[in-house]
Amino acid sequence: MDRIRIVGGQPLKGRIPISGAKNATLPLMIASLLTDEPLVLENVPRLADVALLQRILGNHGVDVMVGGKRPGDGEYDGQTLHISAKRIVDTTAPYDLVSRMRASFWVIAPLVARMGEAKVSLPGGCAIGTRPVDLLLMALRNLGAEIEIDGGYVLARAPHGLRGGEIVFPKVTVSGTHTALMGAVLAKGATVIENAACEPEIADVADCLVKMGARIKGAGTPRIEIEGVARLDGTRHRVLADRIETGTYAMAVAMTGGDVMLDGARPELLQAALDVLVEAGVEIAATNEGLRVQRNGAGIAPVTVTTAPFPGFPTDLQAQLMALMTRAKGTSRITETIFENRFMHVQELARFGADIRLDGETATIAGVPRLKGAPVMATDLRASVSLVIAALVAEGETLVNRVYHLDRGFERLEDKLSACGAEIERISG
């Protein structure tokens, strides 16, 4: 199993290209099931989750062709996927595939919308709380689907097609909003989604669906209106920049006291996180090329942050911010309101010498003057990269184990960091 070796102490200087957003790519790939015409996705990141979803779609009879680099393309340019769900041969998504990635459960919506039935295993994925699928199933029921759970599988049926309805989510849910959106676009009649998630990835998927012929208003706001259509066409769509990768590298630069241009980053996608970094003493400037992030010698100021749905501070950047605050001059507090069990990185950060106390959903981080390298273990996708951020300034050598979590969400992380001066390498086997 691969590990990553890091020797801390080098400031990051240079340029880091920001890849396409994982959290938009996965639902966009799943949306290909809604049409029998080809969907072409550009700027797709090379991630383990993307490769796994290709396998899952292939199980349904979807053909996925990966386009190669064109002359003049940079080495980090995203790949182009040509996805064709012309003929769906199987409406069952088996446990051995779905259990490895939660987002794959979302195939239930386009399958039942287009084929009238779906049998999908209850999901697995990161161990950061239960993250139940009840709100997803509620959305499908409100669109007229009959739902049954049997032997660990969800059976959804709508033999005469889905029909429009009103979906009011009791709490904001990204997965529920994606599910409702994909079910409603082919439903007969109008659908209104209230308390919808406002994340940029929702709007990106909706933009693609509109290009395919869907009639959607209000995506990116708490109220989305959809007028169902009989069929969708193929289209070509470019995946938006990954705001979580942007925030992660911005915090890595802040941690090391560096100066890096994040090429292709879009500040409006993560303004709350950028505001927190500015409060911590980081200089951030938006340019035509992306975001320039730098920190002078004044050190890191402590912050108090509560995670919240977009446009609030993202839960997916909580672990990275905690790593940064371990070196702040003072005491910080981070409250996690989105997922339970999302403080598993605390014990690993403590191995570097971090001073963190937990009280329910709040972590209190007392900044320390130095961190020391240690062997650590990744526990989930975002927690794993917080260990890398800590290791970049830790004295001596750090070995990060179980880096397959990193490969799920960060494209060639060690290459991007080493190009900016970090002493980091992957050790295979």
Side-chain angles (χ1 to χ4, degrees):
M1 195 177 293
D2 286 5
R3 296 177 293 168
I4 287 181
R5 175 183 172 272
I6 302 167
V7 178
Q10 303 299 320
L12 298 178
K13 295 185 177 179
R15 308 182 80 96
I16 295 177
I18 299 302
S19 300
K22 164 188 179 286
N23 288 346
T25 297
L26 301 181
L28 283 166
M29 292 173 67
I30 290 169
S32 68
L33 291 165
L34 290 164
T35 178
D36 61 3
E37 295 187 8
L39 174 63
V40 181
L41 297 178
E42 300 173 343
N43 197 37
V44 173
R46 295 167 178 83
L47 301 172
D49 274 8
V50 172
L52 177 57
L53 187 52
Q54 288 181 45
R55 286 184 55 200
I56 291 167
L57 292 175
N59 184 70
H60 297 300
V62 179
D63 293 320
V64 182
M65 187 185 78
V66 181
K69 286 198 303 183
R70 295 174 180 162
D73 283 354
E75 63 173 321
Y76 293 106
D77 284 0
Q79 57 190 340
T80 298
L81 300 186
H82 298 256
I83 310 173
S84 174
K86 186 175 181 65
R87 182 167 166 263
I88 294 175
V89 300
D90 193 342
T91 56
T92 298
Y95 170 77
D96 63 317
L97 292 176
V98 179
S99 62
R100 294 167 59 188
M101 183 175 63
R102 293 192 59 86
S104 58
F105 183 79
W106 302 345
V107 300
I108 193 170
L111 286 175
V112 74
R114 181 175 161 197
M115 305 300 292
E117 63 177 27
K119 180 181 178 183
V120 181
S121 169
L122 289 167
C126 283
I128 51 171
T130 54
R131 299 206 284 183
V133 297
D134 55 343
L135 296 183
L136 287 69
L137 302 185
M138 178 270 284
L140 291 176
R141 282 195 182 99
N142 286 20
L143 296 174
E146 300 169 7
I147 304 291
E148 179 185 349
I149 298 177
D150 182 27
Y153 279 78
V154 176
L155 284 67
R157 297 184 183 90
H160 304 294
L162 296 175
R163 60 179 184 270
E166 185 177 27
I167 300 168
V168 182
F169 287 117
K171 64 178 182 179
V172 174
T173 162
V174 171
S175 57
T177 304
H178 277 308
T179 300
L181 201 54
M182 287 196 232
V185 290
L186 290 181
K188 298 180 182 74
T191 297
V192 175
I193 307 172
E194 297 280 8
N195 201 27
C198 301
E199 271 69 6
E201 295 80 14
I202 298 282
D204 198 43
V205 172
D207 287 346
C208 180
L209 291 170
V210 168
K211 291 179 191 174
M212 296 165 70
R215 299 170 66 183
I216 303 168
K217 293 180 181 177
T221 76
R223 178 184 169 91
I224 303 177
E225 300 175 10
I226 304 111
E227 186 68 41
V229 297
R231 69 182 307 277
L232 293 177
D233 304 318
T235 194
R236 178 179 285 265
H237 182 79
R238 182 174 178 84
V239 180
L240 87 170
D242 195 319
R243 63 194 172 100
I244 304 304
E245 188 188 38
T246 300
T248 297
Y249 285 124
M251 290 179 196
V253 175
M255 184 63 131
T256 66
D259 183 349
V260 171
M261 174 63 74
L262 302 177
D263 289 326
R266 290 173 50 187
E268 72 276 13
L269 302 182
L270 71 159
Q271 195 58 55
L274 298 180
D275 291 344
V276 168
L277 284 174
V278 169
E279 184 184 344
V282 183
E283 297 176 30
I284 297 174
T287 75
N288 292 335
E289 299 173 286
L291 277 178
R292 185 179 179 188
V293 182
Q294 53 186 326
R295 181 172 68 81
N296 57 31
I300 301 163
V303 298
T304 297
V305 169
T306 299
T307 63
F310 189 86
F313 188 92
T315 180
D316 280 355
L317 287 174
Q318 176 257 108
Q320 297 91 311
L321 179 66
M322 189 179 295
L324 178 62
M325 288 301 110
T326 62
R327 289 293 310 278
K329 294 182 176 179
T331 299
S332 303
R333 286 175 182 82
I334 301 175
T335 301
E336 173 60 62
T337 66
I338 308 298
F339 293 126
E340 68 271 34
N341 297 352
R342 207 165 200 184
F343 282 145
M344 291 189 292
H345 46 283
V346 169
Q347 293 164 316
E348 297 302 305
L349 287 173
R351 294 174 61 81
F352 291 99
D355 183 352
I356 306 171
R357 296 192 313 277
L358 291 181
D359 182 13
E361 59 188 20
T362 298
T364 302
I365 308 105
V368 295
R370 67 182 58 84
L371 299 175
K372 292 189 176 180
V376 291
M377 185 175 295
T379 53
D380 68 54
L381 169 54
R382 306 307 177 185
S384 58
V385 82
S386 73
L387 308 180
V388 172
I389 291 173
L392 289 172
V393 297
E395 297 173 358
E397 178 181 285
T398 295
L399 283 175
V400 182
N401 296 284
R402 288 181 24 184
V403 298
Y404 61 84
H405 285 296
L406 276 172
D407 295 335
R408 288 186 50 222
F410 293 95
E411 181 177 1
R412 297 173 63 183
L413 173 126
E414 65 275 16
D415 293 341
K416 291 184 178 184
L417 288 174
S418 64
C420 289
E423 191 173 333
I424 178 172
E425 63 176 343
R426 179 178 291 251
I427 301 172
S428 297

